[in-house]
Amino acid sequence: MRIGYARVSTARQGQSLGTQREALIDAGCDPNHLYSDTISGTKWSRPGLNDALDYMRPGDTLVVTRLDRLGRNLYETVTTIADLAEREINIQVLDPALDTSRPADKVVMHVMTSLAEWERELLVERTREGVAHARAQGRVAGPKPKLTNKQAQQARQLINNGESVTSVARSFGVSRQTLYRALKRETTA
C-alpha cells in the first residue's frame, strides 16, 4: 500500500499542504491514508508521521513530495529512512525522484546515510574543538552571572552590616540562591 505524508511549517502554508496532498494522490497514494503535520521542522515530534508509521506494514511505501519533509536535517531524515528500511518499508520521494524499492536508489540512500553519519561526527568534533578553544581563552559556557563582582561586594557589605540575605537579594532583584552563588564567586575571584 502507498501511504502519503505531507508537512508544512506553519498554518499559513495551508495551500502548500493541499498541493502536497494532490501530488501524493497523483503518485498513487490512497486518499484515505494521507497523513500530515503542520509543525515546524525544528520540532521532531510529528503526530501525523507517527500515525502513518504506526499504520504501515512491511512491503508498504511511504511517499513524500520532498526529502526534507521527513526530517529537520539530513541526519534525522536518513535515520527515519534507515528505521523504515529495517521494517521493510520503502520510501518514495517525488522530488528528487528516489524510490528505495529500486536497487540503484537504495545505493543512493546508503551513500546518504554514510554522509549523514560523517556529518554528525564532524559536528560533534567541531563542537568539542569550539568548547576547548573557548576554555583556552578563559570563556566559560553558560549564562553570564546576574551580579557583577562589584555588586557581590556591595551585597556582602550589606549582609555584614546586618541586612538579611533575603532583603539584599530582593534589592538586587535576584533569588537568594543567585546571591549565594555571587558571594561564593566573589570570594574565589
Side-chain angles (χ1 to χ4, degrees):
M1 177 178 270
R2 299 169 65 76
I3 309 295
Y5 174 70
R7 178 181 63 80
V8 292
S9 299
T10 64
R12 286 180 284 167
Q13 292 178 322
Q15 182 67 29
S16 178
L17 192 57
T19 304
Q20 288 181 54
R21 286 184 174 148
E22 288 174 18
L24 294 171
I25 291 170
D26 290 345
C29 293
D30 181 351
N32 297 322
H33 293 99
L34 293 179
Y35 298 87
S36 63
D37 285 314
T38 301
I39 192 163
S40 168
T42 61
K43 307 252 191 247
W44 188 236
S45 171
R46 298 189 182 152
L49 180 59
N50 291 338
D51 290 345
L53 299 179
D54 289 344
Y55 181 79
M56 298 183 81
R57 302 291 174 255
D60 287 347
T61 300
L62 180 66
V63 183
V64 293
T65 56
R66 292 191 336 236
L67 201 52
D68 67 346
R69 302 295 88 192
L70 288 177
R72 61 184 173 173
N73 58 38
L74 180 62
Y75 180 78
E76 287 180 352
T77 301
V78 174
T79 300
T80 300
I81 292 168
D83 291 344
L84 290 171
E86 282 182 24
R87 294 179 50 198
E88 298 178 14
I89 295 173
N90 294 310
I91 304 263
Q92 180 184 0
V93 181
L94 303 180
D95 183 25
L98 292 171
D99 187 343
T100 59
S101 66
R102 298 187 303 228
D105 288 352
K106 203 173 274 191
V107 170
V108 170
M109 292 295 187
H110 286 297
V111 169
M112 289 175 66
T113 303
S114 298
L115 289 173
E117 288 175 21
W118 182 56
E119 174 193 36
R120 179 74 178 140
E121 289 170 10
L122 286 176
L123 178 67
V124 168
E125 184 60 31
R126 285 191 300 259
T127 302
R128 279 192 203 124
E129 289 172 0
V131 168
H133 181 69
R135 285 186 182 149
Q137 292 183 335
R139 292 181 289 166
V140 180
K144 293 188 182 210
K146 294 188 186 240
L147 297 176
T148 65
N149 280 341
K150 185 176 180 180
Q151 289 172 318
Q153 289 170 354
Q154 291 171 346
R156 183 175 305 283
Q157 286 176 344
L158 290 169
I159 293 168
N160 289 342
N161 290 337
E163 290 281 335
S164 72
V165 173
T166 302
S167 67
V168 172
R170 272 192 208 127
S171 68
F172 282 97
V174 296
S175 69
R176 288 172 37 122
Q177 190 60 38
T178 298
L179 179 58
Y180 283 126
R181 279 194 298 271
L183 293 171
K184 184 178 179 183
R185 191 179 61 251
E186 185 256 333
T187 59
T188 60

